[in-house]
Amino acid sequence: MKIAIIGGGPGGYVAAIRAAQLGADVTLIERKHIGGTCLNKGCIPTKVLLHTTEQLEVINKDYKEIGINVSNVEISWKQLQKRKEKVVRKLVGGVDVLLKNNKVTKIMGEGSFISNNQIAVKVTDGTETTVDFDYAIISTGSKPVIIPLPGVNLPGVITSDEALSLQEIPKSLVVIGGGVIGAEFAAVYSALGCKVTIIEMLSNIVANMDKDIVQPLKDKFIKNGVEIYTDTKVVSISESSEGLSVNTSSQAGDKSFVAEKVLLSIGRKPVTDNMGLENVGVKTERNAIVVNKNMQTNIDNIYAIGDCNGGVMLAHVASAEGIVAVEAIMNKKPNMDFKTIPYCVYTRPELAGVGLTEEQAKAKGYDIKVGVFPMYINGKAMIEGNTDGVVKYIVDAATKEVLGLHMVGPRATDLIVEGALAIRLEATIDEIISTIHAHPTVGESLQEAAHAVYGNAIHIPI
């Protein structure tokens, strides 16, 4: 069976490898970089920057407290950029090796559909070729949304792509959009001494996460000098004698913010243009490809995974959808539970959540119990000097089933898998309580929060 995949990001390359494992003849078409946005301009490079700025903060604020004296600490932006590129190259090279090991044919070029069995490819070397297929998987990802604001094309107005590779650290930055991407870049640049202002149209930053989990991050931002303006709409960007002026409107009135750079961070949109979808009749809505639960489009032998189908725009979701699509094609009856999607923010403190938030559970009509355990009581967090945060369980009061787990604090993005597994297995909070957690670890806070559902956490004073 021949499977052609357009797009070599975390959805496409995972789908290619899984298809090869199941015996398919696989061709992967990628127009620019294997690894897609995630490896090259998203998940990985941003985390390199965040890691360095976290270490800088630890050295400057925590080392003296733990008995290490360090002086003349400074950031080498040039070296940090080199390390970012090194990490990216290593991971992209690793994916290339995996594709070769699995005998996946890789074509670097831009693919578009001729028919529902052929794709024309404009190869990067200037030649053209045609790929025949029995099934095709579209995995073309997304790109930053550029809102039609007056002044949006002015020099100094950037997206996340440019924010990763600025020639120097700006003195000031206005971030338009306080979602995950905006929050992470605010964390990076504020730690590097840049004056950062976040402007968010919604009532909270990182609004898709439980508000109790977001609050410690907001507190940290404010403590570090980051200004946050919520319920505020940007109406235009203009040039001023001091830089760029971001002009806003809110119930408090009109206000302008001046900065050297302005980061547009208001979301991403599917990349589905120039692919010849009209040649095969693939249905789209608002530029996103419409799919069923198996990632199948309205054309039986064409599937679409990841950001291009307009679902949850996360790399790990794209990878999961790639496996679902391939296993559906190969008649393996895929079984992926999308209720278990973890949401993560890699700031300091880290944020992570899975399942229903408290507000979502109430909106769905659940009678719930909530268990909260503060991180400042946890011994390991105290040792590490990283005690900002809480663990919060959302539990069905009738069945005791875990509906959601939400965390803010050290290693939250690693520990959230316990909540994802609990939801996948329909575990009860009693089963979390009866599972022995190692001591001393940050992870034992999860067990304490589970006890707190019944009001009897061991280490919370009465």
Side-chain angles (χ1 to χ4, degrees), residues 278-427:
E278 66 280 1
N279 294 335
V280 286
V282 170
K283 184 180 179 182
T284 62
E285 290 181 0
R286 300 179 67 180
N287 219 43
I289 298 171
V290 178
V291 297
N292 63 19
K293 66 178 182 178
N294 287 331
M295 307 301 127
Q296 186 181 39
T297 71
N298 62 305
I299 306 303
D300 288 348
N301 67 327
I302 299 177
Y303 291 65
I305 62 174
D307 293 6
C308 70
N309 69 27
V312 178
M313 292 188 176
L314 295 170
H316 45 282
V317 175
S319 297
E321 289 180 351
I323 292 172
V324 166
V326 167
E327 292 187 350
I329 290 168
M330 304 298 285
N331 295 315
K332 289 293 182 182
K333 296 182 179 178
N335 184 22
M336 198 76 67
D337 188 347
F338 289 95
K339 295 196 304 292
T340 66
I341 297 172
Y343 294 82
C344 301
V345 186
Y346 296 83
T347 48
R348 189 176 192 256
E350 291 186 348
L351 280 64
V354 63
L356 299 178
T357 66
E358 182 175 352
E359 290 181 347
Q360 289 168 343
K362 289 177 178 177
K364 286 180 176 289
Y366 283 102
D367 180 18
I368 62 170
K369 285 182 172 290
V370 176
V372 176
F373 185 79
M375 204 64 73
Y376 70 83
I377 299 176
N378 178 265
K380 189 68 181 294
M382 196 180 300
I383 291 166
E384 295 181 359
N386 196 0
T387 56
D388 294 334
V390 295
V391 179
K392 180 178 181 179
Y393 275 106
I394 311 299
V395 176
D396 187 326
T399 66
K400 306 300 186 292
E401 183 178 341
V402 175
L403 301 176
L405 172 63
H406 308 278
M407 303 178 62
V408 53
R411 288 186 290 288
T413 61
D414 298 316
L415 293 169
I416 198 63
V417 293
E418 179 167 321
L421 185 60
I423 292 170
R424 179 68 182 86
L425 298 177
E426 299 180 350

Side-chain angles (χ1 to χ4, degrees), residues 180-226:
V180 174
I181 296 171
E184 291 186 350
F185 276 109
V188 167
Y189 281 105
S190 62
L192 295 173
C194 175
K195 171 60 181 172
V196 176
T197 302
I198 300 173
I199 300 173
E200 171 56 56
M201 188 169 63
L202 299 177
S203 60
N204 203 3
I205 63 169
V206 199
N208 64 311
M209 302 194 80
D210 192 287
K211 61 183 181 180
D212 290 339
I213 302 306
V214 175
Q215 191 59 48
L217 176 61
K218 288 179 67 177
D219 293 343
K220 176 71 173 298
F221 273 154
I222 293 168
K223 183 179 178 181
N224 287 354
V226 176

Side-chain angles (χ1 to χ4, degrees), residues 50 116 123 149-150 161 174 198 232 321 404 419 421 428 431 448 460:
L50 283 160
N116 62 355
V123 186
L149 277 175
D161 289 356
V174 169
I198 300 173
T232 301
E321 289 180 351
L421 185 60
T428 66
E431 289 168 318
E448 288 276 16
I460 295 180

